[in-house]
Structure formats: structure tokens, C-alpha cells
């Protein structure tokens, strides 16, 4: 009779190989077919090299085309604008839809109070759009992800400390999005100045309770914590961007040429661009997206659902605006 | 394990800040091609889960097959009932969970067994406990997904159902047809011909053709293998084609190891010869195992999430809103179903969403209350 024999179990080598590790290959195949999405936001005053840095990171012109305007009034928008540009890029068979969200006008006015509000609103709008898709009756197979995964905040290289605008912005936004602060145009600081500036910044971030990426509380295990602790000791990264190549020691490198030498962007002895790139793209990209999805988005969702409890019918497709004003006012 | 090595190399770089590295070769290389590896690493840490249901009459070799597939012994302490005891038995649902680890990948495998199916004298609606179980898992997931704390949602949805067809008959029996029709829109059904060692190759071929015909005739939607991409290599396409032509798989299972052709293999020893489970010319066990585990496990889970679960969810929400509509309009005896056709006007859509939200909020309130009570 079948099924009830207590026989010897087979063992040894290929014989006892079920093959469940093949599921990783299946997942990879599927991921390659589907492609990935990444939404990066850059925030900082005009002229800090945001667009150049984006172009350097992705080795192509992914930022907005800046038309050369003559006077500051035309160049600097009156309010903070949000400009999104998407590109489909591919590397070694991996396809990615990269969206760079620029925020011209941030911090450029005389009175910069509340200049973070349009940015907060934009971020929350993306969460809202995702939430609406999620609670739909007929959901799409793959909900398009327009949520901001990472916000790169450019700190001007004053060498002293964070400005009040920096503190205000990062304090509010670190609660809704992953913030990666960078010291822009770091070629104006010597190594000693850079180190002391970073130290000051780190202390100020700590003193103000600002949790930048990688956040300590989201470390998954000891291994992660070890890697992330090392990163936390180095942030903010002091970066230099460039989209021009120069000849250095017989090789063509991205850099900035000055009378006293050429700054090589990808040389870690010169600046920390390579670390930023590795963090954002080569090692922690998936982690950044996961934290956005499973923590920031979930926080938003819980808040929205709780609010709707008080006002039934508030989560209407066309009634969202009303609730939103209430939300952004409490920021 | 390139992913881990890559990670380690990069970590090293991060840990030794002032060391110059030769990066000139990678001039045009941005590096996001490592994304699949990053995902890979995370999945390895998290592990996977898979729920497999086996259904069919007693004695079809379901337990043996499961043991053979996953090289475990899940049914060690099982006590089989005799005919008398089975008279009053109803269909039960029994879950066995086992953690398997191989090459660093962890799988939490759940086997849902359905003893008693088709065993009674009167088998009317014997599939009802099974469909109820599947629906319950969907409902549980739906509640979890709509809840406030979505961190650790347990996915107990049934990803695949292996249905065992006896080899003795001439194709599908009425109970087979009814069972598969009751379940084909709730779960991925993979029909199998059980105990295939009692058939000759010709008989197997005839039976398979017959069963395929009847599946078409009765409109049963069994699990379809996804189409091959045009850029896959020829070998893969060939394998895929063979797989599709081979369904339903004729399988044999065995818990015992026998000596055959100088090797120790899983098999069954008969006076007239030895049946080897893993011999492709003897039965389709290897094809089934490869398909189920090595090439289509992920797709089975995807189809469950994207198709079966979404159908359930859409249906559930519509029922909820229609019930609400019914409660609100007591003079109309017929429940007014919200239009789900694309040309429904926005008014109705908004109202429908309103009602859907009301219902969900009630559920959420209930759950919040539960959570609150638990915390205290």
C-alpha cells in the first residue's frame, strides 16, 4: 500500500537537492523583465551644482535644461517649483526608469519661510496617488511608483555650521522621506576644513533630532548596522560634480581643471563623490526604496486612514485637496 | 554567491577611506546593474514561503509524492483510518509546515492536506471545505492588507493545488470536473495522473490526451505556463515546449530507496522490474519537480497574488458595497450592484468608493480595537 512505508531517506550530494534556491533566479528574471524605478529629488539653493551632480551620477544629461536667462528675476522662480524629468536608462540588461525631481527656487528668495511646503506637498501627493491606486477595486498589476525614494539635500560649503534653513528643512522632511545631505562644491574646502565641517554638521543633526539616511532605527541586523555605522560616520559626503573630462596621467577623467591642479571627481582622495554614488546606486538603492515603501509610505497611510475615520468619505478621488491642506498645515 | 562578494568588496572600500582604487576601467559604468543583486541579497535574508495544497482521494499517493518532492518526511506520525472510521469522516483541512534550507536560501513550506476528499459514499459538495479554506486565507490577507499595521503580514494564501486524478479510469470523473470547476478561479490547479506506474506508455498517452480534451471541453482553467520570451535561448524554449505538451503530468512517488543500475535511487521494487521515480522515461516526476520548484514557483505565487487574490478582493468589495446599498435603500428588494463597467458615471463611482471606505473603516475600527485590547 502506498504512502505508509517508513523507508530509508535518501541522502548525499545531488540526490538530496530539491532546488529551492532556483527561486532566486526566477525572481531575478522577472525583475530584469520588469525593470526598476527610482525617483530622486534634489534640493538646494541655485548654483550649488545639483544638476551637474545628477548628470555626473548617471553619466548622462538627466537634469533639466537650464536656459541661460539674463537677470536673476527671470532665472529664479518666485515660488519653489517642482520639475520632474524621467529617463529610461539601461545597463548590462538592467532597465531603470530614473526620475529626477528638481526644486528650483528653494532657498533663493529673500524671505524663505515655508519654502519647504511645496516640496512636502509634492511628496505627500505622491504617497496619496499610490494610496489611491492601492485601495482601488480594480488594481493595476504593478502600481506605478512615483514616490520620492530619496531626497539629496545640498549644503553650501560655508565651513561653519548648518544654516537655520537647512535645519528647518531637514527636520521636517526627514520624517517623510529619506534625506541624504551632501556638502556641495566641496572643492572650496581643505581636508581639515572638510572634516571639521562634517563633524559640526553631524553634531547639529544629532542635536536637532534629525534622522538622515541611513536611519539608525531601521538597521535590520548586526551586519547592516556595522555597514551603516561606517556610513553614518562619513555623512554628509563632500561632493564635487563635473561633466567635463580632462587628461590626467594619460587617462581621461571627469574633473574640474584649475590653475593649481585638476580635481578628479571619482578620486576618493579628492572628494567623496564615489562614496555617494556607491551608496545611492550600487549598494543601498534597494534599501532606500524599501524604507520609502515600508516605513515612510506606511506612516502616511496610517495617518490618512486614521483621519478618514473622523471624516467618512474623505478619501474621495476628487475630494483629496481638502484633506491635504489640513495635512500640510500641521507641518 | 557573487552578490555577497560584491557587497563585501564595496564594504571594504567604505571601511578603508584613503586607499586609491583603480576605477579607470569602469568609466562609463554607473553601477545600477547591481540592483538585482541588492534585491537578491535582501530576499536571501528574508527567506521565502510557499503554500501547496494536495487534493485527491485517499490512497492516490499524495503524501508520498510530497515527501519525494521536498525530500522530507512530513507524515511520520500519521494514522490511517480504516473504511468504517471513514464513513462519518468529513473533509478536513490539515496543515503541515516545514522549513527547508538549501544553499543559504530558506523556504517555509506549508502543505495543506485534504483528507477525506472524495472518500465518502455521497461526495456532494465535498470540495466546499476546501473552497471555504481558500477563501478564508484570502479574507485574512485582505484584512491584513487593509489594516493599519502591515509590517509582518503572514501570507497563508494557497499558491498551488495539485489535484490527483486516478489512473484507473478513462479520463475525468464527474467529481474531478466539479472539483476543478469550483476551484479554478481561486487557485492555480495542476492536475496530475497519480500512480502512473500501473499504466503503459501508450495508455498514459491516451489518458493524457483524453484528460486534456475534457479539460478544454468543460472549460476548466488549469494553471497555464507563461509564454516564453522571444529572447530566451533555444534550449529553454524547447524545454518549455516539452513541458507544455506533457501535461497533465503522470507521477510516481516513493519513500524508499532501492538499488537500480548500480546506484541507489528512489523507487519501487516490483518482481518485474524497478520503477525509478527520478527517471524521466519512467514518469514525469522530474518535470513536475522542476516546474513546481525550480522554474515556476515564483510565477505560481505571482498568479495567485495578481489574479486569484485580486478577483477575490474585487468581488469582496463589490459585495460589501452592494450590501451597504441594500441596507440604505430598504424599499428596493433587489440589491443594486454598483456598476463596474468602464462607462459608469463618476457620481456612482464616488458613491461606491464612499461606501467601500465606510465598510473598510468599520473593519479597521474593529481591528484597531482588537489591537488596542491586545496591547493592554
Amino acid at each position: 500500500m502506498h504512502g505508509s512505508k517508513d523507508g530509508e531517506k535518501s541522502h548525499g550530494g545531488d540526490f538530496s537537492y530539491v532546488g529551492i534556491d532556483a527561486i532566486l533566479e526566477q525572481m531575478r528574471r522577472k525583475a530584469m523583465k520588469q525593470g526598476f524605478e527610482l525617483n530622486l529629488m534634489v534640493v538646494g539653493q541655485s548654483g550649488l551644482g545639483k544638476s551637474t551632480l545628477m548628470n555626473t551620477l548617471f553619466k548622462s544629461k538627466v537634469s533639466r535644461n537650464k536656459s541661460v536667462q539674463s537677470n536673476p528675476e527671470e532665472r529664479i522662480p518666485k515660488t519653489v517649483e517642482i520639475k520632474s524629468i524621467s529617463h529610461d536608462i539601461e545597463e548590462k540588461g538592467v532597465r531603470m526608469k530614473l526620475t529626477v525631481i528638481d526644486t528650483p527656487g528653494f532657498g533663493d528668495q529673500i524671505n524663505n519661510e515655508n519654502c519647504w511646503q511645496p516640496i512636502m506637498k509634492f511628496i505627500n501627493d505622491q504617497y496619496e496617488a499610490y494610496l489611491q491606486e492601492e485601495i482601488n477595486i480594480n488594481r493595476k498589476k504593478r502600481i506605478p511608483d512615483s514616490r520620492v525614494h530619496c531626497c539629496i539635500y545640498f549644503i553650501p560649503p560655508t565651513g561653519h555650521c548648518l544654516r537655520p534653513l537647512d535645519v528647518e528643512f531637514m527636520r521636517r522632511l526627514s520624517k517623510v522621506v529619506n534625506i541624504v545631505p551632501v556638502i556641495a562644491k566641496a572643492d572650496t574646502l581643505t581636508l581639515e576644513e572638510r572634516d571639521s565641517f562634517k563633524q559640526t554638521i553631524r553634531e547639529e543633526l544629532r542635536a536637532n533630532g534629525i534622522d538622515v539616511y541611513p536611519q539608525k532605527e531601521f538597521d535590520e541586523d548586526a551586519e547592516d548596522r556595522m555597514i551603516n555605522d561606517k556610513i553614518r560616520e562619513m555623512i554628509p559626503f563632500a561632493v564635487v560634480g563635473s561633466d567635463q573630462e580632462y587628461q590626467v596621467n594619460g587617462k581621461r577623467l571627469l574633473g574640474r581643471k584649475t590653475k593649481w591642479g585638476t580635481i578628479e571627481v571619482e578620486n576618493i582622495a579628492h572628494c567623496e563623490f564615489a562614496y555617494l554614488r556607491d551608496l545611492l546606486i550600487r549598494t543601498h538603492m534597494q534599501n532606500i526604496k524599501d524604507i520609502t515603501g515600508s516605513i515612510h509610505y506606511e506612516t502616511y497611510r496610517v495617518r490618512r486612514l486614521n483621519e478618514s475615520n473622523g471624516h467618512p468619505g474623505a478619501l474621495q478621488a476628487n475630494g483629496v485637496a481638502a484633506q491635504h491642506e489640513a495635512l500640510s498645515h500641521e507641518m | 554567491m557573487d552578490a555577497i562578494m560584491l557587497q563585501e568588496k564595496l564594504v571594504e572600500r567604505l571601511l578603508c577611506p584613503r586607499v586609491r582604487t583603480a576605477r579607470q576601467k569602469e568609466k562609463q559604468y554607473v553601477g545600477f546593474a547591481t540592483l538585482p543583486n541588492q534585491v537578491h541579497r535582501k530576499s536571501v535574508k528574508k527567506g521565502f514561503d510557499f503554500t501547496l495544497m494536495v487534493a485527491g482521494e485517499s490512497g492516490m499517493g499524495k503524501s508520498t509524492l510530497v515527501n519525494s518532492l521536498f525530500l522530507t518526511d512530513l507524515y511520520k506520525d500519521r494514522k490511517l483510518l480504516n473504511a468504517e472510521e471513514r464513513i462519518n469522516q468529513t473533509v478536513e483541512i490539515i496543515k503541515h509546515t516545514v522549513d527547508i534550507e538549501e544553499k543559504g536560501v530558506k523556504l517555509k513550506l506549508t502543505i495543506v492536506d485534504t483528507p477525506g476528499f472524495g472518500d465518502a459514499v455521497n461526495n456532494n459538495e465535498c470540495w466546499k471545505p476546501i473552497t471555504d479554506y481558500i477563501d478564508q486565507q484570502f479574507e485574512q490577507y485582505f484584512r491584513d492588507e487593509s489594516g493599519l499595521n502591515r509590517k509582518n503580514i503572514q501570507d497563508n494564501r494557497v499558491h498551488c493545488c495539485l489535484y490527483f486524478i486516478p489512473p484507473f479510469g478513462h479520463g475525468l470523473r464527474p467529481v474531478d470536473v466539479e472539483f476543478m470547476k469550483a476551484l479554478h478561479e481561486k487557485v492555480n490547479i495542476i492536475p496530475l495522473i497519480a500512480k502512473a506506474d500501473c499504466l503503459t506508455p501508450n495508455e498514459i498517452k491516451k489518458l493524457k490526451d483524453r484528460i486534456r480534451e475534457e479539460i478544454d471541453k468543460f472549460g476548466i482553467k488549469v494553471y497555464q505556463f507563461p509564454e516564453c520570451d522571444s529572447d530566451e535561448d533555444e534550449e529553454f524554449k524547447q524545454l518549455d515546449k516539452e513541458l507544455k505538451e506533457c501535461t497533465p503530468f503522470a507521477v510516481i512517488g516513493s519513500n524508499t530507496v532501492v538499488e537500480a543500475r548500480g546506484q541507489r535511487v528512489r523507487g519501487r521494487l516490483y518482481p518485474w522490474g524497478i520503477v525509478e521515480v527520478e527517471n524521466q522515461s519512467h514518469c514525469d516526476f522530474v518535470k513536475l519537480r522542476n516546474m513546481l520548484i525550480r522554474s515556476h514557483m515564483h510565477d505560481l505565487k505571482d498568479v495567485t497574488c495578481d489574479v486569484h487574490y485580486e478577483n477575490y478582493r474585487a468581488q469582496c468589495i463589490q459585495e460589501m458595497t452592494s450590501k451597504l446599498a441594500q441596507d440604505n435603500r430598504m424599499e428596493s428588494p433587489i440589491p443594486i450592484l454598483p456598476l463596474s463597467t468602464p462607462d459608469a458615471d463618476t457620481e456612482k463611482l464616488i458613491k461606491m468608493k464612499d461606501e467601500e471606505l465606510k465598510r473598510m473603516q468599520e473593519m479597521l475600527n474593529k481591528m484597531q480595537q482588537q489591537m488596542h485590547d491586545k496591547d493592554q
Side-chain angles (χ1 to χ4, degrees), chain B residues 258-275:
Chain B
V258 296
E259 183 96 19
R261 294 179 289 133
Q263 281 184 337
R264 295 174 63 72
V265 292
R266 272 186 179 247
R268 295 176 55 70
L269 179 62
Y270 291 110
W272 47 88
I274 300 176
V275 178

Side-chain angles (χ1 to χ4, degrees), chain B residues 339-341 344-354:
Chain B
L339 293 170
S340 56
T341 51
D345 47 313
T346 345
E347 270 295 294
K348 277 210 179 101
L349 211 61
I350 291 176
K351 185 165 191 294
M352 184 172 77
K353 284 201 173 180
D354 247 357

Side-chain angles (χ1 to χ4, degrees), chain B residues 132-241:
Chain B
D132 284 346
Y133 176 80
I134 295 177
D135 281 341
Q136 264 167 34
Q137 306 315 306
F138 280 156
E139 190 187 329
Q140 178 67 46
Y141 194 82
F142 183 38
R143 281 180 192 278
D144 287 346
E145 202 189 36
S146 312
L148 293 175
N149 187 353
R150 308 203 294 185
K151 257 205 164 95
N152 297 315
I153 300 185
Q154 274 255 356
D155 186 2
N156 291 322
R157 297 174 293 185
V158 181
H159 298 123
C160 177
C161 176
L162 297 178
Y163 184 66
F164 289 70
I165 300 170
F168 316 121
H170 293 285
L172 296 177
R173 303 163 300 162
V175 69
D176 298 330
V177 175
E178 288 308 306
F179 176 85
M180 289 200 274
K181 286 186 77 164
L183 260 76
H184 64 171
E185 283 176 343
K186 292 185 194 286
V187 72
N188 296 316
I189 298 188
I190 297 181
L192 302 172
I193 298 175
K195 294 196 174 178
D197 55 341
C198 70
L199 298 172
T200 66
N202 271 341
E203 289 167 351
I204 289 186
K205 187 171 179 313
K206 266 200 248 165
L207 186 58
K208 283 189 186 183
D209 288 340
R210 188 73 191 272
I211 293 179
R212 272 203 295 267
E213 239 175 69
E214 291 180 346
I215 286 179
D216 269 336
K217 186 168 92 172
F218 290 107
I220 299 173
K221 298 185 227 160
V222 296
Y223 172 69
Q224 299 292 335
F225 303 117
E227 289 304 319
C228 247
D229 292 323
S230 49
D231 58 346
E232 300 277 11
D233 54 31
E234 274 312 307
E235 193 193 333
F236 190 80
K237 283 197 207 168
Q238 182 62 19
L239 284 175
D240 193 62
K241 188 157 163 287

Side-chain angles (χ1 to χ4, degrees), chain A residues 142-196:
Chain A
R142 210 171 146 230
I143 302 178
D145 192 359
S146 62
R147 301 173 294 189
V148 179
H149 297 127
C150 183
C151 172
I152 305 178
Y153 187 73
F154 287 69
I155 300 171
T158 57
H160 297 309
C161 59
L162 288 177
R163 302 163 304 157
L165 175 62
D166 301 331
V167 173
E168 279 303 310
F169 179 85
M170 286 200 274
R171 197 161 54 85
R172 286 150 199 277
L173 257 74
S174 57
K175 301 204 180 86
V176 295
V177 72
N178 295 320
I179 296 195
V180 174
V182 297
I183 300 174
K185 298 206 163 168
D187 49 339
T188 59
L189 299 168
T190 65
L191 293 184
E192 293 80 21
E193 288 167 352
R194 180 207 292 181
D195 282 339
S196 83

Side-chain angles (χ1 to χ4, degrees), chain A residues 86-132:
Chain A
S86 293
H87 293 270
D88 284 313
I89 50 184
E90 198 218 308
E91 191 174 72
K92 296 199 178 164
V94 178
R95 285 173 303 120
M96 184 158 84
K97 175 160 175 269
L98 171 72
T99 306
V100 177
I101 303 156
D102 207 342
T103 54
F106 176 83
D108 287 335
Q109 308 305 324
I110 295 172
N111 179 357
N112 285 309
E113 273 184 0
N114 297 330
C115 65
W116 48 80
Q117 268 186 2
I119 298 176
M120 290 280 270
K121 181 173 183 306
F122 178 80
I123 294 176
N124 284 331
D125 281 347
Q126 306 316 305
Y127 289 150
E128 183 66 31
Y130 196 88
L131 181 64
Q132 289 297 329

Side-chain angles (χ1 to χ4, degrees), chain B residues 293-304:
Chain B
I293 302 174
R294 298 185 193 177
S295 49
H296 289 75
M297 187 184 264
H298 196 63
D299 189 58
L300 284 166
K301 291 175 74 169
D302 277 348
V303 174
T304 307

